[in-house]
């Protein structure tokens, strides 16, 4: 879950561009940061524990010049965040500098082997075995490229690696199970874990596959297999403006991305549904695409898992057998699949390791796979049989916001396509659903303009715990509301199916535990009964509902209001209110909202 950036060109301003890339990648890790630059001599390494600002302070007095360099921002897996554990790592002679994302699973055996041959190690990381292995091959007479390839052949696990070597003015890189993308600009090349790293410099990219080996020289690049066979990879243009990946006038990326939802939802919906005729127009999925499907399985993690639950509820309630699984569990205990099973991987980045593992497991079992993702060219999009892009634009905040909304809308449209192909007819009342979806951007804007979430967050800021409940299609929204709250406020928060409160969680309810109850206009009386159980124990209740729902409003201590809409769409609006609630709660506690402790945006390790 670390971030890699590399740059090579004919000008000696590599460090300046590497620092920009590191700052653009800081959402992938912020435990420590470092870079290595080269200009006519061996790699010079600079690295510091903590945020990138610490590294910039180290470089403040003198910025080293160089035409090529590598950089890294770390999210710790092996060893605590310290100067020694920060990347880049070098070997015994400092001839080789390496940055790495992923996990080298056989690093213990390699470290023992290298130590027995006289190598000494300075860090606790798994990465450090890589430069030591390269040094050995160089000492045996291998060229830098040969040494790199032979070293990679010894590694087991997941990795993206970039390397500098004293004897060469090239950058050597490869990937296996961790993302790496090549940016192309006249006279320059960039390598990064994610496109936003180099969007300031180029929007021309080449997405690399597992097993690709890249050698970069000024004005020239070569992509081959590990055995040296040449590979052609297409160059694509990314339709993201660099400003889309910046904070603009907002204090935090998260708040910016919450407020971007009207725009991202319009992008998700554009050209895909006609609320007048009820037609669905998904680019690569014309009518009949899924007529052989008999059952659907969703696999996902975190926020994407909650979106998958909403998608499963949508199509399951319309007659198509559907289940949602945590990808990490699916990968180790796959349910039965066959050629008539469609397995949908929901992943914002398209690089989530657990989700990729689940999709590969499903494919090995004979299932058809489909990625629902935000990133064109991502591993999930390339490995699955099909891909549907949510078109939400870049999301930098660790806490997912606009991508959840766009995922749910995309899954609703995909779900209707599936229902029509498999069940054989349109969903009952689908024109009302599509009409509500078309109104969604404007309804979200109303919430953003008039939300009382700031006041509610302040009112309950000193509570002992926070509970979120929902029923049916908004049970996943309750889970998502609790997840957002806990991950950025660090306060204890739990989401429950409303009917399950009385089967155990009610023991936790006290006057110091506010309960946020989500209502959609469907099953409200049952959820209201659960609210009364809470009130009987003295807990304050905040209802998330429309003003028109008078019976609910009368029983709540406070209300977070959403515009009146179709029950299948109300959860998206409720979620926006809960996003704002979490944001303001964290802000009042002075939490690092965009960089919550122990978390990173793209989880590329299992």
């Amino acid at each position: 879950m670390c971030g890699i950036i590399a740059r090579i060109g004919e000008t000696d301003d590599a460090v300046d561009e590497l620092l920009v890339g590191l700052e653009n990648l800081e959402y992938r890790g912020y435990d420590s940061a470092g870079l290595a630059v080269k200009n006519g001599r061996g790699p010079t390494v600079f690295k510091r524990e903590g945020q990138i600002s610490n590294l910039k302070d180290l470089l403040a007095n003198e910025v080293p010049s160089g035409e090529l360099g590598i950089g890294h921002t770390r999210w710790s897996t092996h060893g605590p965040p310290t100067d020694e554990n920060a990347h880049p790592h070098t070997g015994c002679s400092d001839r080789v500098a390496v940055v790495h994302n992923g996990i080298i699973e056989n690093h213990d055996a390699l470290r023992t082997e290298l130590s027995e041959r006289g190598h000494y190690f300075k860090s606790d990381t798994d990465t450090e075995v890589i430069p030591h292995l390269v040094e050995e091959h160089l000492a045996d007479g291998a060229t830098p490229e040969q040494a790199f390839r032979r070293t990679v052949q010894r590694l087991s696990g997941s990795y993206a690696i970039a390397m500098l070597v004293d004897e060469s003015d090239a950058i050597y890189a490869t990937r296996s199970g961790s993302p790496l993308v090549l940016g192309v600009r006249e006279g320059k090349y960039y390598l990064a874990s994610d496109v936003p790293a180099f969007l300031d410099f180029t929007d021309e990219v080449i997405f690399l596959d597992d097993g690709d080996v890249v050698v970069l020289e000024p004005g020239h690049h070569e992509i081959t297999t590990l055995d040296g066979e040449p590979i052609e990879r297409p160059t694509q243009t990314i339709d993201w403006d660099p400003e889309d990946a910046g904070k603009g006038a907002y204090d935090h990326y998260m708040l910016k991305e919450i407020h971007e939802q009207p725009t991202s939802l319009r992008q998700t919906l554009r050209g895909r549904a006609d609320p007048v005729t009820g037609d669905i127009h998904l680019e690569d999925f014309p009518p009949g695409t899924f007529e052989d499907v008999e059952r659907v399985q969703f696999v996902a993690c975190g926020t994407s898992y909650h979106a998958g639950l909403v998608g499963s509820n949508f199509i399951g309630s319309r007659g198509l057998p559907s289940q949602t699984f945590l990808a990490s569990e699916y990968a180790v205990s796959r349910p039965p699949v066959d050629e008539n099973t469609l397995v949908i991987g929901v992943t914002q980045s398209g690089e989530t390791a657990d989700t990729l593992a689940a999709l590969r497991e499903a494919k090995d079992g004979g299932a058809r796979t489909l990625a629902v993702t935000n990133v064109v060219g991502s591993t999930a999009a390339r490995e699955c049989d099909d891909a549907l892009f949510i078109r939400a634009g870049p999301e930098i905040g660790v806490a997912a916001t606009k991508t959840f909304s766009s995922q749910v809308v995309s899954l609703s449209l995909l779900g209707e396509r599936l229902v029509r192909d498999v069940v054989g007819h349109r969903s009952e009342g689908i024109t009302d659903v599509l009409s509500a979806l078309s109104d969604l951007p404007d309804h979200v804007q109303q919430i953003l303009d008039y939300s009382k979430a700031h006041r509610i967050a302040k009112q309950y800021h000193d509570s002992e715990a926070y509970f979120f409940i929902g029923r049916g299609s908004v049970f996943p929204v309750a889970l998502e509301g609790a997840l957002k709250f806990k991950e950025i406020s660090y306060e204890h928060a739990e989401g429950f199916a409303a009917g399950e409160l009385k089967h155990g969680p009610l023991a936790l309810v006290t006057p110091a535990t506010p309960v946020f109850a989500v209502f959609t206009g469907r099953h409200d009386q049952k959820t209201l009964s659960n609210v009364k159980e809470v009130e009987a124990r003295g807990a304050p209740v905040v209802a998330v509902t429309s003003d028109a729902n008078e019976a609910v409003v009368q029983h709540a201590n406070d209300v977070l209001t959403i515009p009146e809409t179709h029950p299948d769409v109300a959860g998206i609006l409720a979620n926006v209110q809960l996003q704002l609630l979490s944001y303001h709660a964290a802000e009042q506690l002075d939490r690092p909202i965009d960089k919550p402790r122990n978390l990173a945006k793209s989880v590329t390790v299992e």
Side-chain angles (χ1 to χ4, degrees), residues 244-367:
D244 292 343
K247 280 192 292 190
Y250 292 92
D251 291 335
H252 299 93
Y253 282 110
M254 182 182 179
L255 185 61
K256 173 178 179 279
E257 288 156 4
I258 290 172
H259 280 262
E260 285 177 340
Q261 285 177 108
T263 298
S264 61
L265 288 167
R266 288 189 181 96
Q267 291 171 177
T268 300
L269 286 162
R270 188 179 61 242
R272 287 176 163 174
D274 187 331
V276 176
T277 64
D279 291 337
I280 301 292
H281 307 284
L282 297 180
E283 308 88 90
D284 299 319
F285 308 109
T289 298
F290 302 108
E291 59 186 9
D292 294 331
V293 171
E294 294 179 358
R295 69 196 63 83
V296 177
Q297 296 173 356
F298 292 89
V299 292
C301 306
T303 289
S304 295
Y305 171 72
H306 300 153
L309 288 171
V310 177
S312 181
N313 180 279
F314 183 93
I315 63 176
S317 65
R318 287 161 170 81
L320 176 56
S322 175
Q323 294 173 281
T324 301
F325 298 90
L326 289 165
S328 56
E329 292 298 309
Y330 188 100
V332 297
S333 182
R334 173 179 56 79
V337 298
D338 57 27
E339 66 274 10
N340 300 120
T341 306
L342 176 66
V343 178
I344 301 174
V346 188
T347 162
Q348 184 281 136
S349 66
E351 304 292 349
T352 309
D354 289 319
T355 305
L356 291 173
L359 288 166
R360 289 164 184 157
E361 183 69 23
K363 202 162 193 174
D364 288 345

Side-chain angles (χ1 to χ4, degrees), residues 121-151:
F121 290 82
K122 309 166 193 172
S123 78
D124 303 315
T125 69
D126 54 335
T127 303
E128 197 181 351
V129 300
I130 300 172
H132 286 276
L133 287 170
V134 172
E135 280 186 347
E136 284 202 337
H137 293 304
L138 291 172
D140 289 339
T143 66
E145 183 174 343
Q146 289 171 336
F148 183 71
R149 293 179 187 276
R150 292 173 187 175
T151 295

Side-chain angles (χ1 to χ4, degrees), residues 36 76 196 390:
S76 304
I390 67 172

Side-chain angles (χ1 to χ4, degrees), residues 31 33 47-60 83:
D31 289 345
K47 55 185 184 177
R48 279 292 180 268
E49 179 271 332
Q51 299 186 12
I52 291 169
S53 58
N54 295 353
L55 175 64
K56 295 179 77 172
D57 290 342
L58 176 66
L59 296 166
D83 289 353

